[in-house]
């Protein structure tokens, strides 16, 4: 096995592990790498839908997305499609997946199917480091507080991402829940800064203006490049991230002559998480 670190903050590209091997030993090796590096990448892994599902099930029950429809034959796989003409791409700002749910996703396994010749990298940011390096005066103000996370739901989603399908109208409601701003990782017991630009709307117990000012500073801090790594996709690559301890950002840099005019297709499986505490 070979481990190539992607940055000083987080992320590692692993070679010498076969993701088709869904044995307990292989899972434990992969999960240890995941807990250590927070996001891990594997190239040239031509795994089938069934093999991707079997791999994911090692972490626990799979999650159906709140408002995005899965594949007909494999509803637990959401196909993320950016059409040729589209500049938008799902996931194109800093977020953790479904943080507006009571129990947000534990981990995600994303496999690339079709990749444009340029553009569409994914960035990740280490929220354990973000907590450690956060300004002490901000830490003091937020350490015991909760924040509201909410999503605009399927209506916004369907309007923006033409190549994808949402669930039916009954799920179009706004999703909203509160979580501690600093959560404890259930496996490593490390503190994690658990807010994000896309879904976190307000700190509970503070006036809107003060909450907005603090959140703005935190979001800027979370985007500091020295907390991040960046992955350049190739076809049949697999990323596994710990959705509890990282933010991610799918870069939609599809400009005329530079990535526009190409499809980008990914298959995503999510594993159910716990309620943050
Ligand atoms: Fe995402």
């Amino acid at each position: 096995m070979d481990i190539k670190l992607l940055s000083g903050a987080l992320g590692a590209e692993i070679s010498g592990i076969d993701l088709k091997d869904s044995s307990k030993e292989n899972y434990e090796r992969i999960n240890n790498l995941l807990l250590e590096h927070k996001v891990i990448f594997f190239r040239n892994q031509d795994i089938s839908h069934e093999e991707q599902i079997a791999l994911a099930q090692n972490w626990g029950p799979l999650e159906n997305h709140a408002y995005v429809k899965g594949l007909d034959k494999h509803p637990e796989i959401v196909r993320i499609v950016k059409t040729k003409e589209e500049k938008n791409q799902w996931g194109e700002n800093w977020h953790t997946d479904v943080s507006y749910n009571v129990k947000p996703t534990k981990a995600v396994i994303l496999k690339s199917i079709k990749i444009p010749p340029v553009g569409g990298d994914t960035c990740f940011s280490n929220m354990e480091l973000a907590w450690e390096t956060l300004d002490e005066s901000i830490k003091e103000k937020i350490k015991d507080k909760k924040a509201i996370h909410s999503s605009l739901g399927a209506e916004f989603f369907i309007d923006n991402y033409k190549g994808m399908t949402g669930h039916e109208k009954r799920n179009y409601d706004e999703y909203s829940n509160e979580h501690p701003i600093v959560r404890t990782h259930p496996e490593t017991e490390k503190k994690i800064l658990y807010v994000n630009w896309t879904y976190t709307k307000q700190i509970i117990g503070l006036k809107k203006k003060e909450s907005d000012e603090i959140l703005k500073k935190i979001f800027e801090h979370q985007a500091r490049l020295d907390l991040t790594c960046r992955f350049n996709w190739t076809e049949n690559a697999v990323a596994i991230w710990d959705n509890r301890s990282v933010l991610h950002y799918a870069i939609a840099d599809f400009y005329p002559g530079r990535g526009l005019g190409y499809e980008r297709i990914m298959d995503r499986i999510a594993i159910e998480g716990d309620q943050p505490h």
Side-chain angles (χ1 to χ4, degrees), residues 20 47 113 130 133 183 232 237 272:
K20 290 185 183 194
I47 55 172
I113 307 295
T133 54
R183 72 179 287 188
N232 178 242
E272 281 181 11

Side-chain angles (χ1 to χ4, degrees), residues 33-78:
L33 289 163
L34 180 64
L35 293 176
E36 183 178 349
H37 301 290
K38 299 183 174 59
V39 55
I40 48 180
F41 305 94
F42 304 83
R43 294 198 194 267
N44 304 315
Q45 299 275 346
D46 189 13
I47 55 172
S48 65
H49 292 325
E50 290 78 10
E51 285 162 341
Q52 191 180 354
I53 290 169
L55 175 70
Q57 281 170 335
N58 282 304
W59 277 270
L62 307 185
E63 182 182 79
N64 282 321
H65 195 276
Y67 51 78
V68 187
K69 214 161 177 248
L71 297 177
D72 285 343
K73 283 192 182 151
H74 298 287
E76 50 285 81
I77 299 181
V78 165

